[in-house]
Amino acid sequence: MTLASAPTAFHPPADPSRNHPPLIPSGGRLAGLVWTLGLTLLIAGCAGTPAPRPTTQAGDGSTVPSGSPQPATASPNYSHPPLSTIVSAQASAPPVVTLAAPEDIWDRIRRGFAMADLQNDLVHDREQWYISRPDYMQRMTERSNRYLFHIVEEVERRNLPMELALLPFIESAFNPQAVSSARAAGMWQFMPATGQSFDLRQNAFRDDRRDVLASTRAALDYLEQLHGRFGDWHLALAAYNWGQGNVNRAITRNQRAGLPTGYTDIDMPLETRMYVPKLQAVKNILARPESFNAQLPPIGNHPFFDTLTLERDIDVALIARLAEVSEKDFRALNPSIKQPIVMAAGTPYILLPWDNANIFERRLAEYKGPLASWTAWVVPSTMTAAQAASRVGMSESELRAVNNIPPRMQVRAGSSLLVARSDQHNRDVSEFVADNASLSLQPEAIVRRGSVIVRSGDTLSRLAARHGVSAANLARWNNLRVSSKLKAGQRLSLVKTQRSSAVAAKSGKKMTQKSTQAKGKSVKRSTKKATIKPTRTASKKKARKN
């Protein structure tokens, strides 16, 4: 504590040889004594503030604490340096991070970018590709309107780089119904085997690789797993596209050769080489749309859909009618549902636009009619579509259409068929069937009737073996006994059954042979004109099998 603030409060001791006037009027001597005592205690308290104890040099060269008895010294000097002149100055505050909510979903995405930027010619090439197709960009970004908020929420909840929310732009252009030639499906383009490993069920009634919630959960799980393995987001993305086994082998090859092992260093197919540049290009355009003369559709920073739980099977048509949405819009939010019915045991929730969800709940509570007009039936034995239709009281054409059964195909035992509800089949689909439904088909048997001429020495057994039928059937077709004797030149009826696929294969083989012979010359000429060089490209969907 400093005394500079009250320098005039110090009074030197009075000199008895001098006649001083009293410091305090005689009438207030007691008050003056109290005031003096208070000031003395205040000064003593300040002087008692803990501080390092200084040492002083003793006469014999040793040091002693300054608190030790010392000879009397002169009074302390309480003089102070002059105060500096007060002048005006410009005050500046440190920058404050804004707490304002994002203006829209694009602003929120920009705030979450956290990956290292990739800068090379491939990125520039993809930027030019996208900005030269404004119609494509417009359709893609408008389509994302339904799903983007949910994906951003999930990415943010897991504290992941927000660039991952843009990955469906690259994978499927935000089309949950997209299917590749290699059978990758959904917004995140999962291969069948990879989807199964992340609990995405795929059966005759539904495909969770298309499910908005399930596929997003699986994709982020997979990406987190890949990042944990490679420790680099660009390598994790390459593995998502090409397969983690392929990326790992490429890294190992570079390590053995003493080469760098970054994303731009390892050898990979062209599609994977372009994968991260595509994502970087989309990121750059969304981050600075004005720099690319791009127009982003306004997408609010709020949910597009709500999730509703179902307790009973219900027709898709009824859901759409009660919710006041079109079936097309319903299926856009619920693309995993293949059939005209939602099976509560397998798909216990549906997505509806936010406002329509309230309408659906209110109207469903008021609805008194039947909820479902379809159910599932497990085929007890292999049969034709006509036989199955007769069993369940449907027309053959309707049964084929709703279950996608091609012509000349039989339904194998154990297959699950969607059938119209009736008194005989009127239950909700069980959880086991909803989760494990399969449709197994086989070609129908085609019956061919003909005849055969008996040769000298032939028996029924020998003829039957020659034509691939049983002796008993050959005897039955000709009203004979197996032991009956035959005469040379005798004509016998013969019936053969053949799978329709085998017949088609033979027919197709003949047509192919004729076509090849007819076009052989033109094929030879074309191969002389151009030499096709092999290009190292590989479908990421095929590669994901690894």
Side-chain angles (χ1 to χ4, degrees):
M1 179 176 181
T2 178
L3 299 177
S5 58
T8 58
F10 174 75
H11 298 279
D15 185 352
S17 63
R18 299 182 62 182
N19 188 15
H20 290 280
L23 294 177
I24 302 174
S26 60
R29 288 183 180 275
L30 180 60
L33 289 173
V34 172
W35 184 88
T36 304
L37 178 62
L39 180 60
T40 304
L41 291 175
L42 176 64
I43 296 172
C46 294
T49 303
R53 296 184 64 186
T55 58
T56 57
Q57 190 75 20
D60 58 358
S62 63
T63 58
V64 295
S66 61
S68 302
Q70 299 289 335
T73 59
S75 300
N77 182 14
Y78 290 98
S79 62
H80 300 277
L83 297 175
S84 59
T85 306
I86 299 176
V87 296
S88 62
Q90 185 68 30
S92 61
V96 178
V97 178
T98 178
L99 297 179
E103 297 178 2
D104 55 19
I105 201 67
W106 305 119
D107 185 24
R108 185 175 177 184
I109 289 173
R110 293 182 195 110
R111 295 185 188 191
F113 286 154
M115 283 189 196
D117 284 335
L118 181 68
Q119 298 178 353
N120 57 29
D121 292 340
L122 293 180
V123 174
H124 180 69
D125 175 80
R126 291 300 88 189
E127 288 173 346
Q128 297 304 311
W129 190 92
Y130 283 118
I131 64 177
S132 65
R133 292 163 174 80
D135 293 342
Y136 174 78
M137 286 290 294
Q138 187 72 12
R139 287 194 306 272
M140 183 169 63
T141 50
E142 286 179 351
R143 194 184 294 133
S144 70
N145 177 46
R146 298 182 177 96
Y147 321 109
L148 203 49
F149 179 85
H150 170 72
I151 296 174
V152 168
E153 285 274 295
E154 287 300 299
V155 170
E156 204 170 69
R157 184 178 64 83
R158 297 175 183 234
N159 197 28
L160 297 174
M162 197 54 71
E163 287 88 341
L164 299 182
L166 308 180
L167 209 55
F169 283 119
I170 312 305
E171 288 287 344
S172 64
F174 266 99
N175 179 8
Q177 296 287 5
V179 181
S180 76
S181 58
R183 298 190 302 135
M187 189 161 53
W188 296 91
Q189 288 290 283
F190 272 97
M191 286 291 290
T194 310
Q196 288 173 0
S197 65
F198 284 91
D199 199 28
L200 298 179
R201 292 187 178 272
Q202 304 149 56
N203 58 46
F205 294 152
R206 79 178 198 262
D207 187 348
D208 286 347
R209 295 178 298 164
R210 295 185 174 94
D211 186 279
V212 175
L213 305 188
S215 67
T216 299
R217 183 265 311 158
L220 296 182
D221 285 350
Y222 190 23
L223 287 163
E224 280 188 295
Q225 181 188 102
L226 293 172
H227 182 257
R229 177 170 181 176
F230 295 105
D232 178 272
W233 277 114
H234 289 170
L235 288 175
L237 290 168
Y240 187 87
N241 173 262
W242 189 25
Q244 54 185 318
N246 289 326
V247 172
N248 196 58
R249 285 188 288 272
I251 290 174
T252 302
R253 283 194 298 269
N254 276 30
Q255 287 175 337
R256 289 174 178 172
L259 299 173
T261 57
Y263 171 78
T264 57
D265 302 310
I266 62 175
D267 189 23
M268 60 182 67
L270 179 61
E271 180 181 307
T272 309
R273 176 67 65 208
M274 298 292 288
Y275 192 68
V276 175
K278 285 181 182 179
L279 183 64
Q280 183 69 52
V282 171
K283 171 185 175 180
N284 293 346
I285 294 171
L286 298 187
R288 304 182 305 278
E290 65 284 352
S291 301
F292 297 92
N293 196 27
Q295 296 290 331
L296 299 180
I299 300 179
N301 184 32
H302 54 75
F304 182 89
F305 58 77
D306 197 4
T307 306
L308 303 179
T309 302
L310 298 180
E311 297 179 354
R312 295 288 308 278
D313 293 359
I314 183 169
D315 288 347
V316 169
L318 179 60
I319 295 174
R321 178 158 59 88
L322 294 179
E324 298 181 3
V325 298
S326 67
E327 285 193 37
K328 179 181 178 182
D329 288 341
F330 174 81
R331 291 193 180 276
L333 284 176
N334 302 272
S336 65
I337 301 171
K338 299 180 180 180
Q339 306 294 355
I341 182 176
V342 180
M343 301 175 185
T347 309
Y349 61 83
I350 57 172
L351 308 183
L352 287 172
W354 190 266
D355 294 334
N356 299 86
N358 295 328
I359 297 173
F360 173 77
E361 287 185 310
R362 175 174 52 81
R363 295 187 64 182
L364 180 63
E366 300 169 353
Y367 182 75
K368 303 302 181 183
L371 294 176
S373 54
W374 301 93
T375 188
W377 176 60
V378 180
V379 179
S381 60
T382 301
M383 61 183 69
T384 64
Q387 292 170 329
S390 177
R391 291 274 194 100
V392 298
M394 296 174 64
S395 68
E396 180 183 352
S397 60
E398 185 182 17
L399 184 73
R400 285 186 181 277
V402 75
N403 291 283
N404 196 26
I405 302 174
R408 298 184 298 278
M409 297 296 285
Q410 290 182 321
V411 183
R412 286 180 172 171
S415 295
S416 299
L417 296 180
L418 196 68
V419 300
R421 289 206 177 197
S422 63
D423 294 339
Q424 186 179 2
H425 307 286
N426 196 30
R427 294 182 178 180
D428 283 358
V429 181
S430 68
E431 182 178 357
F432 178 82
V433 173
D435 285 343
N436 301 282
S438 64
L439 178 60
S440 181
L441 304 174
Q442 70 180 31
E444 291 179 354
I446 298 176
V447 178
R448 294 183 179 275
R449 298 183 181 276
S451 60
V452 62
I453 305 299
V454 178
R455 301 174 187 172
S456 177
D458 277 346
T459 63
L460 277 175
S461 297
R462 188 177 295 175
L463 269 175
R466 188 186 303 158
H467 293 281
V469 297
S470 67
N473 282 339
L474 185 59
R476 180 170 55 83
W477 295 331
N478 292 277
N479 296 320
L480 299 171
R481 293 191 300 271
V482 176
S483 59
S484 297
K485 292 184 178 182
L486 304 178
K487 295 179 182 180
Q490 184 179 352
R491 184 181 294 273
L492 298 179
S493 296
L494 185 66
V495 179
K496 282 191 174 184
T497 58
Q498 193 173 19
R499 297 294 178 192
S500 58
S501 61
V503 176
K506 287 184 179 180
S507 175
K509 186 176 181 181
K510 291 179 181 179
M511 292 178 65
T512 303
Q513 289 175 346
K514 291 181 180 179
S515 176
T516 303
Q517 291 172 359
K519 297 181 179 180
K521 294 181 180 179
S522 61
V523 170
K524 289 180 180 179
R525 283 197 299 269
S526 64
T527 56
K528 288 180 180 179
K529 288 182 180 179
T531 302
I532 302 175
K533 297 182 179 179
T535 304
R536 289 202 64 223
T537 59
S539 169
K540 74 177 181 63
K541 287 80 183 181
K542 292 179 181 177
R544 273 197 205 159
K545 293 179 180 178
N546 297 332

